[in-house]
Amino acid sequence: MGDGGGGGLDVVVFPWLAFGHMIPYLELSKRLAARGHDVTFVSTPRNVSRLPPVPAGLSARLRFVSLPMPPVDGLPEGAQSTADVPPGNDELIKKACDGLAAPFAAFMADLVAAGGRKPDWIIIDFAYHWLPPIAAEHNVPCAVFLIVQAAAIAFLGPRWANAAHPRAPLDFTAPPRWFPPPSAMAYRRNEARWVVGAFRPNASGVSDIERMWRTIESCRFTIYRSCDEVEPGVLALLTDLFRRPAVPAGILLTPPPDLAAAATDDDDVDGGSSGDRAETLRWLDEQPPKSVIYVALGSEAPVTAKNLQELALGLELAGVRFLWALRKPAVGTLSHASAADADEFLPDGFEERTRGRGVVWTGWVPQVEVLAQAAVGAFLTHCGWGSTIESLVFGHPLVMLPFVVDQGLVARAMAERGVGVEVAREDDDEGSFGRHDVAAAVRRVMVEDERKVFGENARKMKEAVGDQRRQEQYFDELVELLHAGGGEINDEKYC
């Protein structure tokens, strides 16, 4: 594997304090290190301790720096990531994140004062709008790496487009005026509440969209966990909209066997025991090919007890085999659900009635290993971008149950590509769904004749994203851009 051109770089990476961000940043770091570049991964002590291990061959080029997590009134003791607070309550994490500015400035000053090599680049997440000015004091350029669906960033749009075309809440239920027609990209009414909230200041004093705008505007270019095969034409649109190069890193899926130990945005951040892995995988080994639907709604989706009840009854009505990686709703402590907790959220008698064809597992589930099993025929997912990519890699059609952030837009895009269906919801502010909605969607993808169409479309996507040579080429081109200094910036604002 080449270094992508030129000599070795020295790169600092700093992800947002969420494991759905830290894991892709770690994969980006490992790929840089594997190409002969030195990488410093910055986070806080507890987050660094919970990351999966780095392959021994990369440890000499990949070091970890922990900045002290500043105390914030109302933030639980020991909370250092979004996994440590209830879903939707990450505003205090953002406030604490802003308190990392002084420690980061000290880290940079100490690095320079010690006579060490100054970084060639700092790659940052959306939250760190305060960092580029610190980097500029040392003449270090920044790039921003956004791990969500690229089309979601285009939907949110740049500052100039939002100024030219202001949107009221219901306007987010239609494609923005800067999207090329025809497009199905839009939020549902219940999802629009999240996106409207992203435009409003939160407890940190800064809105999420303002963070993103300031960060992108202060960086040389923007990196996306995407590629043209997954999102045709979107990166070119983003380059035009934001007047910055929009650069694909590829899908950044961790190759086996490293996957077995790695957590994803849908795994417990502390990993799991080999016994947990063996039990779920052994059960799958005993099931017929393509007979099981894997169910996982992530570790941080705002799922209610009512949602879980209806989902369970829908799986029962659908009559198919299932493996359900269940998380407690509204996790607000620093520990995760234990197997004993399942009965608290499931309908009375559910596990007895589905025994033999269904497994509910509240321990850690190795998601990518599960998706790689021959018994799995589909994935019922919240449409987190990482989970969606993992499903596409293995060619599984989707049953989609989105909740927040970019999940609704991911679901629209995947439905438009014909790789699955959404669970029907009420068109109201709550977006409620029932057991019959779940059962109907599951049966369309797993049982009825339509499943063949979804399966064929999913296989086509698998072929498109499974070209490892092309995926490596995307990353090599990214490294070449880092060597070249980041390309041209056009700050002209259009209206």
Side-chain angles (χ1 to χ4, degrees):
M1 188 181 298
D3 71 356
L9 296 165
D10 192 299
V11 181
V12 172
V13 302
F14 195 177
W16 160 234
L17 306 181
F19 278 85
H21 292 238
M22 284 183 267
I23 297 302
Y25 267 73
L26 183 60
E27 183 60 30
L28 179 115
S29 301
K30 290 192 294 185
R31 289 174 186 245
L32 285 170
R35 285 163 168 79
H37 308 291
D38 293 322
V39 183
T40 301
F41 188 106
V42 178
S43 191
T44 62
R46 190 162 191 269
N47 291 330
V48 167
S49 71
R50 290 187 287 180
L51 290 170
V54 172
L58 302 180
S59 59
R61 292 200 174 275
L62 178 50
R63 71 173 183 133
F64 296 87
V65 169
S66 296
L67 301 181
M69 185 73 168
V72 171
D73 288 342
L75 194 63
E77 183 179 356
Q80 295 189 12
S81 80
T82 57
D84 302 331
V85 296
N89 288 266
D90 59 0
E91 296 181 2
L92 294 180
I93 296 288
K94 293 187 176 82
K95 188 172 183 179
C97 158
D98 292 341
L100 293 172
F104 186 84
F107 158 72
M108 287 293 292
D110 290 345
L111 191 65
V112 173
R117 178 178 173 181
K118 187 173 65 174
D120 295 297
W121 283 92
I122 302 176
I123 298 176
I124 60 174
D125 216 329
F126 82 99
Y128 303 119
H129 61 287
W130 44 261
L131 193 149
I134 296 172
E137 294 177 7
H138 303 284
N139 296 314
V140 176
C142 293
V144 55
F145 176 33
L146 301 177
I147 59 88
V148 297
Q149 178 197 33
I153 304 300
F155 185 96
L156 293 173
R159 189 187 301 274
W160 69 262
N162 280 273
H165 307 292
R167 289 178 283 187
L170 283 180
D171 292 330
F172 291 101
T173 61
R177 293 178 61 178
W178 50 86
F179 257 43
S183 175
M185 295 293 284
Y187 282 102
R188 307 290 190 219
R189 282 181 61 182
N190 64 296
E191 300 163 343
R193 288 186 300 176
W194 174 86
V195 71
V196 169
F199 280 77
R200 294 173 177 158
N202 52 50
S204 71
V206 183
S207 70
D208 288 347
I209 195 70
E210 182 65 27
R211 284 179 184 275
M212 185 187 77
W213 284 341
R214 290 186 197 175
T215 303
I216 292 177
E217 290 162 1
S218 301
C219 288
R220 294 277 182 90
F221 62 93
T222 305
I223 307 165
Y224 291 91
R225 188 187 185 187
S226 189
C227 58
D228 287 332
E229 289 82 1
V230 176
E231 300 188 84
V234 173
L235 293 164
L237 174 63
L238 283 162
T239 296
D240 182 59
L241 284 172
F242 283 90
R243 311 304 171 195
R244 299 285 191 284
V247 182
I251 59 175
L252 297 180
L253 186 70
T254 311
D258 196 35
L259 281 170
T264 71
D265 61 331
D266 298 304
D267 297 327
D268 282 356
V269 295
D270 293 302
S273 71
S274 58
D276 288 348
R277 291 197 295 274
E279 188 161 343
T280 52
L281 296 176
R282 277 201 307 269
W283 182 82
L284 286 171
D285 287 339
E286 298 169 355
Q287 309 309 312
K290 301 290 184 183
S291 66
V292 176
I293 186 165
Y294 172 58
V295 182
L297 300 180
S299 57
E300 297 180 28
V303 183
T304 66
K306 175 66 172 176
N307 292 154
L308 295 182
Q309 293 267 326
E310 293 301 315
L311 176 55
L313 293 170
L315 290 171
E316 182 178 351
L317 285 171
V320 302
R321 291 176 172 86
F322 62 87
L323 171 61
W324 185 358
L326 175 63
R327 295 288 178 266
K328 293 191 341 183
V331 175
T333 67
L334 300 185
S335 62
H336 288 272
S338 66
D341 292 317
D343 290 342
E344 182 181 350
F345 304 104
L346 297 177
D348 291 341
F350 169 77
E351 290 185 279
E352 289 75 15
R353 294 192 301 272
T354 58
R355 181 166 287 122
R357 69 173 176 88
V359 170
V360 179
W361 193 259
T362 52
W364 181 70
V365 174
Q367 178 160 294
V368 177
E369 287 186 277
V370 166
L371 292 172
Q373 292 292 303
V376 174
F379 185 10
L380 195 160
T381 173
H382 65 308
C383 289
W385 188 232
S387 289
T388 302
I389 286 173
E390 289 166 1
S391 191
L392 295 178
V393 165
F394 294 105
H396 296 311
L398 302 171
V399 175
M400 298 176 284
L401 191 59
F403 288 90
V404 291
V405 197
D406 61 333
Q407 295 164 11
L409 298 183
V410 172
R412 311 295 111 76
M414 293 300 107
E416 202 168 26
R417 300 291 292 272
V419 298
V421 297
E422 282 193 63
V423 174
R425 292 176 181 257
E426 294 294 329
D427 186 23
D428 56 21
D429 290 340
E430 299 304 319
S432 57
F433 63 90
R435 63 201 69 175
H436 296 287
D437 302 314
V438 173
V442 170
R443 291 187 63 81
R444 283 182 67 187
V445 172
M446 288 288 290
V447 178
E448 297 171 5
D449 288 344
E450 199 175 2
R451 76 186 190 282
K452 298 175 183 177
V453 176
F454 297 129
E456 180 59 29
N457 289 335
R459 281 190 292 274
K460 290 177 182 177
M461 288 289 283
K462 176 183 178 180
E463 292 172 4
V465 301
D467 184 345
Q468 288 303 310
R469 178 179 295 182
R470 182 64 183 124
Q471 290 296 318
E472 294 297 332
Q473 184 181 348
Y474 279 124
F475 203 86
D476 285 338
E477 290 169 355
L478 166 61
V479 174
E480 288 172 4
L481 186 60
L482 291 169
H483 274 294
E488 296 183 359
I489 293 176
N490 182 353
D491 279 320
E492 184 178 357
K493 299 295 186 287
Y494 291 78
C495 60

